[in-house]
Amino acid sequence: MTDARHVLVLPDRDAAEEVAEELPDRFGITEEPQLVRDALAGEDDAEDAQWLVVIEDPTGRLDPTSLDEFAAEHEGWLEAP
């Protein structure tokens, strides 16, 4: 398999932190996901920021469809590669 990175886009920091906490139990990942604030283009207000949860998947074993469904439970989505 190939080295992969998955990016989940969440509406706010709370959702991103909740997703990051649930990932190990739900998907068995061992490496801690990275949380990144992604300000929307042209927006200076911190309230208008999305949060990204970056998941390293070196063995390519995570199912993108399952990750997208999981993100949707938190009003987010899986960013297309």
Side-chain angles (χ1 to χ4, degrees):
M1 285 281 172
T2 180
D3 194 14
R5 172 180 287 159
H6 305 282
V7 178
L8 304 180
V9 182
L10 285 305
D12 56 43
R13 183 179 187 145
D14 289 342
E17 288 176 346
E18 192 172 321
V19 163
E21 286 177 19
E22 291 180 31
L23 278 165
D25 290 338
R26 188 101 173 238
F27 293 95
I29 66 166
T30 55
E31 194 170 317
E32 188 166 334
Q34 180 182 0
L35 273 64
V36 180
R37 181 179 175 271
D38 183 34
L40 299 176
E43 295 292 340
D44 293 327
D45 188 349
E47 296 300 314
D48 290 324
Q50 296 174 326
W51 282 78
L52 309 178
V53 178
V54 181
I55 307 158
E56 298 297 333
D57 185 17
T59 59
R61 68 174 186 77
L62 296 174
D63 176 40
T65 303
S66 295
L67 287 170
D68 188 45
E69 290 169 356
F70 175 59
E73 293 172 19
H74 300 273
E75 299 179 16
W77 65 90
L78 174 67
E79 189 70 22

